[in-house]
Amino acid sequence: MSLEITASAPGAPLEGLETGPHRILVVDDEVGIRKGCRRILRAEGHEVMLAETAEAGLKALREQGDVDVALVDLRMPGMGGLEFLPLAKKLAPQMVCIVITAYATLETAVEATKRDAFDFLTKPFSPAELLRVVNRALERSRLIRERNRLAADRESRLLQLATEQSRLKTIIDCMGDAVLVCNAEQVLVLHNPRALRVLPHIRKSGEIRKLGEVVEPAELFETIREVNETRKRVSREIQLTHLDEGGWVLANCAPVVDERSGKVLGTVTVLRDISEMKHVEELKAQFVNMVAHELRSPLAAIDGYLSILMRDMVQDPAEKEQIMGRCRERVKGLVNLVNDLLDMARMESGRVQREILPRSIGEVAEEVVSLMTPLAEAKGVTLDGWVADDLPTVEADREELIRLLTNLVSNAIKYNREGGSVSISATPDGPFVKISVKDTGIGISEKGQAQLFSEFFREKRSENQLTTGTGLGLNIVRRIVDFYNGRVEVESVLNEGSTFTVRLPSKFQSHAGIG
Ligand code: ADP
């Protein structure tokens, strides 16, 4: 079959067609067609690859797949054009195929279209016809490439956005503070899991809700509204009275403003749980109040005694001495109180210097007995101690062990009766050493036992009205025992006596957070 080629008839490039070299594959068993096509297309500046058979065409694609347009003869020895089409598309998806046929029948046209052929060229064809069809195919190829590029670009942007969103979501979700994002209508559009603690009702009522309808406490809603209106950041402490467990949050609410229009788009509110801080503040205020109260009565008494003495209201030297003695007792009481307070403050701040070494409880008990004997004698109370032979040592600070035992023994003497007794004993108890201080004193009421270890607790009873004390001794005992991971218990029968039992581990385990 002959091919009429006039090299002088180049087709004008279509509008929008990328100029520059394109790669075109011609698959035809007719050498005249191959060469003719090559000449015409090369003259247009294209790179032309020739293949005599479909198999050779596929090989060329496999090796250099980046082909824009393929011109394929339908009838060739071996593999025909219709079979070639789907295989070629797999190798070069962006490639646009033009079918060359001698007989353009409707059936072959339909069949070729089904297999993704873009256009036909019926033999014989003129150079102008060739270029017209090729140029259209090149435009098509360009569009396919552009579409693919845009799709890939969009996909990568979406992927980037998704990654950023998920990163942001992970950060917000992991935050220890609650985060609430509202739009300008105060509709809650985003919150993190932590926000559910403060606003548990969000869970029930869905996420997108106008805050005013669901939000308690009202103060939070008011804060968000205020920020929307004033466009100013607000930082406010809010009490969570709507929660069973109560609590406080510090709400930091900031407006989100559109830079171009200056409009408020919404608000971001971060809620920090400050319940613990508030609790500590409250305890501190209570403590200061208690200390002031504890200082006031002895100071008032001292003031009273001193004014009696200064105004010479008492003439009798013996009576004078008695008043001075009482005055001194009160001063001693104040010194003890201050010492106890200093002990507590040191323990609280973690500034206690300890020398933790294996200590013999027998030795410590002996020292405490000798320290407390004058007090016991003055009160007419017998004091004895017994320590098991096989008692292991306890890893602890010696001063602290003495302070612990002294507090228990001095109480056992102070709250005893004339002729009563105090016994100290120490026995092994598994990994612990069990130290008991038993007295035959006034005992402690059940109500009193429940509060015994709290700061400034003193039982108000006629029997101990004249006994001085700070109400801090047992609190210090509990702090020391806690530091060593031990336990302290009390058993008491009113008017019969009490037994305080302390268990201390013989091996010290460091305990974070206790001073
Ligand atoms: P205080 O300096 O008042 O003795 P503590 O903290 O040592 O302070 O004791 C608190 C209160 O517990 C005492 O005021 C007393 O009412 C009661 N108490 C402590 N030990 C005994 C005891 N062995 N027998 C009876 N009451 C006791």
Side-chain angles (χ1 to χ4, degrees):
M1 177 153 299
S2 67
L3 175 66
E4 297 167 27
I5 296 173
T6 43
S8 56
L14 289 179
E15 211 183 323
L17 181 66
E18 269 178 47
T19 49
H22 292 280
R23 195 178 264 182
I24 299 170
L25 172 68
V26 182
V27 187
D28 201 308
D29 57 329
E30 273 184 56
V31 66
I33 299 257
R34 289 200 305 272
K35 288 192 174 163
C37 286
R38 182 168 66 187
R39 192 156 34 87
I40 297 162
L41 295 169
R42 266 191 183 164
E44 289 298 303
H46 301 310
E47 193 185 319
V48 183
M49 293 155 66
L50 300 181
E52 200 181 341
T53 61
E55 289 82 354
L58 290 174
K59 184 166 178 277
L61 284 178
R62 229 172 271 123
E63 283 162 12
Q64 306 179 49
D66 198 16
V67 170
D68 299 288
V69 171
L71 290 151
V72 189
D73 190 8
L74 271 189
R75 283 210 191 150
M76 287 179 283
M79 188 189 288
L82 285 180
E83 277 173 85
F84 171 86
L85 285 176
L87 298 173
K89 267 282 167 191
K90 264 191 204 152
L91 293 170
Q94 79 292 342
M95 185 174 72
V96 177
C97 294
I98 301 162
V99 162
I100 306 172
T101 176
Y103 316 97
T105 63
L106 190 61
E107 292 77 42
T108 46
V110 169
E111 195 51 39
T113 315
K114 269 192 202 158
R115 301 198 187 193
D116 219 6
F118 171 67
D119 210 342
F120 285 93
L121 267 174
T122 314
K123 293 179 195 175
F125 47 82
S126 68
E129 272 176 310
L130 172 69
L131 289 176
R132 186 177 45 78
V133 173
V134 165
N135 281 343
R136 278 185 48 214
L138 283 173
E139 171 63 3
R140 167 85 174 166
S141 154
R142 189 186 68 81
L143 290 175
I144 291 174
R145 280 180 193 274
E146 184 63 9
R147 190 191 61 198
N148 290 349
R149 193 184 61 74
L150 287 175
D153 197 36
R154 201 182 52 204
E155 205 163 297
S156 96
R157 271 165 206 266
L158 281 174
L159 199 70
Q160 200 181 344
L161 196 68
T163 316
E164 263 164 34
Q165 276 182 348
S166 97
R167 199 179 300 151
L168 201 63
K169 186 172 180 318
T170 312
I171 293 171
I172 293 178
D173 282 1
C174 291
M175 275 174 74
D177 295 340
V179 178
L180 305 170
V181 180
C182 298
N183 65 15
E185 283 74 47
Q186 284 146 63
V187 171
L188 181 63
V189 289
L190 183 82
H191 70 268
N192 65 351
R194 188 72 190 165
L196 295 174
R197 199 195 84 73
V198 185
L199 307 171
H201 35 318
I202 302 175
R203 201 193 315 255
K204 285 180 226 146
S205 38
E207 296 192 8
I208 309 290
R209 290 298 299 265
K210 182 127 173 144
L211 276 186
E213 294 163 12
V214 291
V215 164
E216 281 178 277
E219 216 184 331
L220 177 59
F221 172 56
E222 286 304 322
T223 306
I224 293 171
R225 206 175 56 184
E226 185 185 321
V227 171
N228 249 322
E229 280 166 14
T230 62
R231 303 151 144 253
K232 287 198 181 108
R233 272 169 180 264
V234 171
S235 186
R236 185 168 290 159
E237 289 182 1
I238 295 174
Q239 191 167 12
L240 307 174
T241 43
H242 64 295
L243 297 179
D244 291 344
E245 71 270 30
W248 283 83
V249 286
L250 174 68
N252 276 310
C253 185
V256 181
V257 181
D258 181 24
E259 276 179 18
R260 271 179 295 169
S261 66
K263 272 190 180 169
V264 177
L265 300 175
T267 51
V268 175
T269 310
V270 177
L271 304 172
R272 170 154 296 181
D273 189 345
I274 53 165
S275 312
E276 188 62 31
M277 193 186 87
K278 280 278 176 191
H279 181 61
V280 170
E281 263 177 24
E282 207 174 295
L283 286 182
K284 213 163 86 184
Q286 267 177 22
F287 187 74
V288 169
N289 207 16
M290 278 195 287
V291 171
H293 187 78
E294 293 301 314
L295 290 172
R296 198 171 50 186
S297 47
L299 284 173
I302 293 167
D303 187 45
Y305 294 136
L306 288 176
S307 62
I308 291 171
L309 295 173
M310 283 169 80
R311 283 194 223 140
D312 271 338
M313 287 161 78
V314 181
Q315 305 304 325
D316 178 17
E319 209 179 321
K320 257 189 188 174
E321 197 157 315
Q322 200 188 16
I323 291 174
M324 276 159 68
R326 278 195 215 145
C327 203
R328 189 145 182 248
E329 273 301 302
R330 292 299 196 148
V331 172
K332 260 203 243 165
L334 282 175
V335 171
N336 285 343
L337 175 64
V338 170
N339 283 338
D340 282 353
L341 285 172
L342 286 175
D343 272 353
M344 277 176 58
R346 245 184 323 208
M347 280 192 240
E348 198 90 38
S349 69
R351 277 187 289 111
V352 182
Q353 295 284 330
R354 296 184 175 91
E355 210 183 345
I356 297 176
L357 292 171
R359 308 288 178 189
S360 148
I361 295 299
E363 265 177 35
V364 170
E366 224 170 90
E367 172 134 6
V368 172
V369 169
S370 89
L371 273 172
M372 290 287 114
T373 300
L375 184 69
E377 281 172 359
K379 181 91 189 184
V381 169
T382 55
L383 183 57
D384 64 71
W386 175 84
V387 169
D389 290 341
D390 57 345
L391 194 69
T393 51
V394 169
E395 288 178 355
D397 177 71
R398 187 167 185 277
E399 289 309 309
E400 230 162 16
L401 287 178
I402 291 177
R403 200 174 312 141
L404 179 131
L405 208 54
T406 308
N407 275 326
L408 294 179
V409 174
S410 72
N411 280 350
I413 298 169
K414 276 195 311 188
Y415 303 105
N416 219 312
R417 314 161 189 282
E418 177 93 46
S421 66
V422 173
S423 330
I424 308 165
S425 65
T427 48
D429 182 21
F432 296 95
V433 165
K434 184 170 116 182
I435 307 163
S436 298
V437 178
K438 185 175 165 44
D439 67 59
T440 55
I442 60 172
I444 306 157
S445 70
E446 265 184 41
K447 200 166 156 231
Q449 288 177 39
Q451 305 169 63
L452 214 48
F453 296 95
S454 24
E455 289 144 5
F456 298 112
F457 172 75
R458 305 203 69 213
E459 214 174 17
K460 286 190 178 57
R461 286 171 58 190
S462 56
E463 293 91 330
N464 61 14
Q465 232 172 15
L466 297 174
T467 318
T468 55
T470 60
L472 293 175
L474 288 180
N475 184 265
I476 292 173
V477 165
R478 202 205 59 204
R479 285 169 191 260
I480 296 174
V481 169
D482 281 352
F483 176 77
Y484 290 101
N485 286 317
R487 287 202 300 268
V488 55
E489 286 154 13
V490 62
E491 271 176 50
S492 186
V493 178
L494 214 54
N495 301 319
E496 284 186 21
S498 316
T499 304
F500 283 81
T501 306
V502 170
R503 283 180 178 78
L504 293 176
S506 42
K507 289 263 168 272
F508 175 71
Q509 299 155 352
S510 71
H511 188 311
I514 298 176

